[in-house]
Amino acid sequence: DDNQYQEKLGLIKFGIEAIQGNAEVRDEIVVTTPTELVNYAKAWNSGNETWPLALGADIDMTGIDWECLGNYKYPYSGEINGNGYTIKNLSVTEGIFSEEGEYIAAFIGIAGSSTEHSELRVSNLNFENASINLPTNGSNCGVVIGFAPSTANFDSYGAGVGADNYQCDNIIVKNCNITGEVIDMKSAGGVMGKAY
């Protein structure tokens, strides 16, 4: 009953209601193509999306320089369920510019929230042949998450006018397999670059 087509992004929002036990509606955006994934990130990074993300198929990002999901003004906090699917050939060569003159890069660029006591959960999502490659100006780079700042960092790093952002209380990455490389000049990690 909750199905609706979101024409401007070419994405599908839907809800699943439990039949037994406590009724619960779970709303999420399901993506199956590179274009849908890029459009989801653009919508989130401009403040026009808040729904959780789910994959409905393997997605090959060959030829796309990933923008990063989540920035200082609109950091990412929520749930990503890969449903066992794989993002292949994820590539980041620029990332998110910080006031320190460096770039933060990953699938999720900046982890954080617009509300206190938030949780970021990435589960059942695989990355194959990821390339996060910022050898001369990269800092805080990882495949899944680049940077999880403290609440104070959002002010000091210039979150932007009207932004009231907080650190994530919990960051959970589980049942994820990652292959690829992360190259930067400061803080690199296979899963996460840096967390305060």
Side-chain angles (χ1 to χ4, degrees):
D1 292 339
D2 294 330
N3 288 354
Q4 59 180 341
Y5 181 67
Q6 188 177 11
E7 183 176 349
K8 64 179 181 176
L9 295 178
L11 305 177
I12 296 174
K13 292 184 176 182
F14 66 92
I16 300 172
E17 184 171 346
I19 296 174
Q20 294 180 330
N22 295 328
E24 178 181 343
V25 175
R26 177 180 175 184
D27 296 316
E28 58 191 11
I29 291 196
V30 178
V31 298
T32 59
T33 68
T35 300
E36 291 175 349
L37 189 57
V38 167
N39 287 342
Y40 177 86
K42 286 181 179 179
W44 187 282
N45 293 346
S46 61
N48 294 318
E49 187 56 77
T50 58
W51 285 40
L53 174 66
L55 265 65
D58 291 339
I59 298 177
D60 189 342
M61 301 295 286
T62 299
I64 298 170
D65 194 14
W66 180 243
E67 179 180 323
C68 300
L69 171 59
N71 55 37
Y72 280 115
K73 188 168 184 183
Y74 300 104
Y76 192 81
S77 177
E79 182 175 354
I80 299 175
N81 184 357
N83 289 312
Y85 292 112
T86 300
I87 295 176
K88 301 176 181 179
N89 304 310
L90 178 74
S91 174
V92 185
T93 60
E94 186 171 318
I96 298 166
F97 184 72
S98 77
E99 289 190 343
E100 294 180 335
E102 298 163 343
Y103 286 85
I104 296 161
F107 180 69
I108 299 171
I110 308 291
S113 178
S114 59
T115 60
E116 292 186 90
H117 309 301
S118 63
E119 179 175 281
L120 189 157
R121 179 183 296 268
V122 180
S123 61
N124 309 311
L125 177 60
N126 305 307
F127 292 90
E128 179 182 300
N129 194 35
S131 176
I132 314 299
N133 194 346
L134 292 85
T136 58
N137 61 357
S139 175
N140 308 331
C141 299
V143 173
V144 183
I145 301 167
F147 185 37
S150 68
T151 300
N153 289 143
F154 282 109
D155 293 328
S156 65
Y157 282 83
V161 177
D164 191 11
N165 296 323
Y166 305 92
Q167 70 187 45
C168 286
D169 291 339
N170 297 298
I171 297 175
I172 299 162
V173 178
K174 63 185 258 182
N175 297 330
C176 297
N177 294 301
I178 302 166
T179 66
E181 66 178 8
V182 179
I183 301 172
D184 76 9
M185 65 178 189
K186 202 168 183 181
S187 301
V191 176
M192 180 185 291
K194 187 174 186 180
Y196 277 102

